[in-house]
């Protein structure tokens, strides 16, 4: 047997029906459409409003569509990975809940916590699992119910986030020069003061005090996070392009994490890429954390061609950052 390459063979996505518009947000906090669009470029976001439903629900919907599109036998799935920061529970894993709901009998499952970089990290891990030869078919899901961690009394953060999930099928092939070609992934460990949830973990368990002081929501120092995100995402893209002999002429798509339109534009400018070669859906989904990149693949799938060079990049709490170089494995929507 020759070298095994790991390829994406299908994409499935899910976003909730409810659309939270800037106009509606302006009735909740002191903000308006112009302020939000100028600063982050978000027009609307999807919110999972049904009581009792969490991240696993959206992950399951995305995986179910993926399996239907690819025609994959449920018994042939060897592993399922959910990248998320908004797990249904502290334990068990969200992935185990998804597995149970889908009825996958022969798969291992685990959650991967790398914030907004979770999909990139998980895809790299899944690819390594495929390349070692012990796993044949793995579902990788990026899913987050960011509304569950958003303070809708905070005008600075509540316009940013939305809910969603998307899943990809990762399989092996002996075809050369296809699939996940390279990854540059780093964690610098400097981000705790600037982006975190103050309570709910083992350092500060839930109490009357933490609830009363609204400590169970996303806290972010926006300017610092913005600066780190632009620098690291841009540097990571340039680095991975250079070491693989890629340039603006032979990169078909840049797939950036959808956190802020100004960050996306800055990354494109640094790479000298025109915006029509950059996947953008932040305007109607907002920041769905680990789901943003696979949701972009889902939205743009019909425009992808076999052999297209994709650079995917993200930045998130930790700070975690990185870029993946992927050569697309099939033509158009399946």
């Amino acid at each position: 047997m020759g070298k095994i390459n790991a390829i994406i063979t299908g994409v499935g996505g899910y976003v909730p029906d409810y659309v939270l518009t800037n106009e509606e947000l302006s009735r909740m906090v002191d903000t308006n459409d112009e302020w939000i669009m100028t600063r982050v470029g978000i027009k609307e976001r999807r919110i999972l409003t049904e009581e009792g439903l969490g991240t696993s629900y959206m992950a399951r919907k995305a995986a179910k569509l993926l399996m239907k599109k690819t025609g994959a036998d449920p018994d042939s799935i060897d592993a399922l990975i959910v990248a998320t920061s908004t797990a249904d529970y502290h334990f068990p894993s969200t992935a185990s809940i998804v597995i149970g709901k889908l009825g996958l009998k022969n798969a291992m499952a685990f959650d991967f916590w790398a914030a907004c970089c979770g999909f990139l990290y998980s895809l790299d891990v899944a690819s390594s699992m495929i390349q070692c030869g012990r796993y044949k078919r793995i579902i990788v899901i990026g899913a987050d119910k960011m509304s569950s961690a958003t303070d809708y009394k905070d005008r600075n953060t509540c316009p940013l986030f939305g809910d969603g999930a998307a899943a990809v099928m990762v399989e092996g092939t002996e075809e050369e020069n296809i699939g996940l070609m390279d990854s540059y992934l780093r964690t610098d460990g400097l981000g705790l003061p600037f982006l975190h949830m103050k309570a709910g973990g083992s350092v500060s368990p839930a109490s009357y005090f933490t609830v009363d002081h609204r400590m169970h929501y996303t806290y972010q120092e926006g300017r610092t996070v913005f600066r780190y995100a632009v620098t690291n995402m841009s540097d990571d893209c340039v680095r991975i392009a250079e070491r693989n002999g890629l340039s603006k002429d032979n990169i078909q798509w840049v797939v950036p994490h959808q956190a802020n339109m100004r960050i996306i534009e800055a990354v494109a400018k640094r790479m000298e890429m025109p915006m029509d070669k950059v996947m953008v859906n932040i305007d109607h989904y907002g920041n769905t954390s680990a789901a943003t990149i696979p949701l972009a693949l889902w939205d743009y799938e019909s425009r992808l061609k076999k052999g297209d060079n994709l650079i995917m990049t993200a930045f998130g709490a930790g700070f975690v950052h990185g870029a993946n170089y992927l050569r697309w494995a099939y033509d158009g929507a399946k």
Side-chain angles (χ1 to χ4, degrees):
M1 177 181 285
K3 178 188 174 184
I4 300 172
N5 287 321
I7 60 173
I8 289 176
T9 58
V11 189
Y14 173 80
V15 290
D17 292 332
Y18 183 78
V19 178
L20 177 59
T21 64
N22 289 346
E23 195 276 330
E24 185 175 352
L25 274 178
S26 71
R27 300 197 297 269
M28 299 163 62
V29 292
D30 180 18
T31 192
N32 57 65
D33 179 72
E34 182 184 7
W35 190 89
I36 297 171
M37 286 297 294
T38 300
R39 283 160 179 78
V40 292
I42 299 169
K43 195 77 175 175
E44 59 189 35
R45 65 289 293 151
R46 300 298 185 95
I47 305 295
L48 185 62
T49 57
E50 290 83 354
E51 189 174 343
L53 296 181
T55 297
S56 69
Y57 172 79
M58 298 185 293
R60 172 169 57 92
K61 297 282 275 189
K64 203 166 185 178
L65 175 61
L66 171 69
M67 292 171 65
K68 182 178 180 181
K69 285 173 65 177
T70 59
D73 179 354
D75 291 341
S76 72
I77 307 299
D78 297 314
L80 183 143
I81 306 170
V82 175
T84 188
S85 299
T86 54
D88 285 20
Y89 307 97
H90 278 301
F91 53 86
S93 70
T94 302
S96 69
I97 298 170
V98 175
I99 281 254
K101 294 289 187 180
L102 291 176
L104 306 184
K105 299 291 194 293
N106 299 315
M108 64 176 287
F110 59 92
D111 288 358
F112 201 109
W113 281 41
C116 298
C117 268
F119 178 77
L120 298 188
Y121 278 51
S122 298
L123 182 62
D124 190 70
V125 169
S127 296
S128 297
M129 292 169 67
I130 292 291
Q131 289 169 335
C132 81
R134 291 202 301 274
Y135 304 87
K136 308 297 184 188
R137 186 171 278 166
I138 299 174
I139 294 175
V140 177
I141 306 171
D144 270 300
K145 185 183 177 183
M146 290 305 295
S147 64
S148 68
T150 299
D151 184 353
Y152 287 98
K153 293 186 177 181
D154 180 2
R155 72 189 294 263
N156 292 313
T157 58
C158 72
L160 305 179
F161 300 108
D163 303 336
V168 299
M169 191 74 73
V170 183
E171 301 185 60
T173 180
E174 290 189 43
E175 184 178 349
E176 297 180 353
N177 299 316
I178 202 77
L180 186 65
M181 307 299 291
D182 193 11
S183 294
Y184 178 84
L185 304 171
R186 294 293 185 271
T187 304
D188 66 28
L190 303 176
L192 175 61
F194 311 110
L195 180 54
H196 61 276
M197 184 181 290
K198 295 178 182 294
S202 60
V203 168
S204 182
S207 66
Y208 288 113
F209 179 87
T210 64
V211 172
D212 289 345
H213 287 78
R214 307 185 72 78
M215 296 170 65
H216 295 266
Y217 297 115
T218 299
Y219 170 81
Q220 174 173 274
E221 294 186 15
R223 289 184 180 179
T224 301
V225 173
F226 179 91
R227 187 173 68 251
Y228 270 89
V230 168
T231 300
N232 283 288
M233 288 172 64
S234 298
D235 287 352
D236 295 348
C237 286
V238 170
R239 182 177 285 107
I240 203 166
E242 286 179 347
R243 76 185 193 185
N244 287 280
L246 300 172
S247 69
K248 62 180 180 180
D249 299 319
N250 55 13
I251 297 172
Q252 279 70 44
W253 294 100
V254 175
V255 194
H257 170 51
Q258 311 284 308
N260 185 313
M261 192 62 200
R262 290 188 297 160
I263 295 174
I264 294 170
E265 290 170 346
V267 171
K269 183 177 180 181
R270 173 75 186 280
M271 297 186 70
E272 300 181 342
M273 296 289 289
M275 286 302 296
D276 62 1
K277 295 175 72 173
V278 180
M279 294 189 187
V280 177
N281 59 14
I282 188 174
D283 53 324
H284 56 279
Y285 291 153
N287 182 352
T288 56
S289 192
T292 66
I293 289 176
L295 276 174
L297 295 177
W298 181 49
D299 276 355
Y300 282 76
E301 184 185 22
S302 64
R303 299 166 66 178
L304 296 174
K305 301 288 187 293
K306 183 174 181 178
D308 278 356
N309 290 316
L310 280 63
I311 301 293
M312 305 183 293
T313 185
F315 176 90
F319 289 129
V320 295
H321 59 92
N324 292 352
Y325 165 34
L326 179 74
R327 293 203 78 195
W328 199 250
Y330 58 92
D331 291 327
K334 298 190 74 173

